[in-house]
Amino acid sequence: GAGILALAYGLAESGLLLGLCLMALCVMLHRTSLRTIIRMTHVTGCATYKDLVRVLVGERVAYLVPLFGIAIYFGACVAYFMVAGDYLAQIVPSLSLFHARMVMSLPMLGLALLPSLDRL
């Protein structure tokens, strides 16, 4: 996902040894959380993450699950637009960084306005 963009930078800033240790810690925490979610889906019989949150935490919190999903995807798209705009600004030096990012956003805006992606 979008986190892969920061992996090289994180390793460069933390150093190889500390960076690898932190990465290993993140892998173990990620594995543990996924295993817990899988176990809980078997225990509760829930088929979706939202249903699992509803059963374990409550109805009010379950309504937040789609909002957090939207926030994650929106953040990833913004990160991709920024990276693509940075590259475009290097390729076309006459464009300011802001304008390069806006140019890179236009195709995605057009795709977002389509009612269906079936024709693609």
Side-chain angles (χ1 to χ4, degrees), residues 41-98:
T41 58
H42 290 299
V43 169
T44 62
C46 293
T48 67
Y49 187 69
K50 185 177 179 180
D51 291 339
L52 182 64
V53 171
R54 180 179 293 120
V55 168
L56 296 177
V57 184
E59 189 70 33
R60 288 184 181 171
V61 178
Y63 283 115
L64 296 175
V65 171
L67 295 176
F68 287 133
I70 290 169
I72 289 169
Y73 296 130
F74 180 77
C77 286
V78 168
Y80 291 137
F81 291 148
M82 291 176 71
V83 170
D86 291 349
Y87 284 127
L88 183 62
Q90 291 175 4
I91 294 169
V92 184
S94 62
L95 279 177
S96 70
L97 187 57
F98 174 78

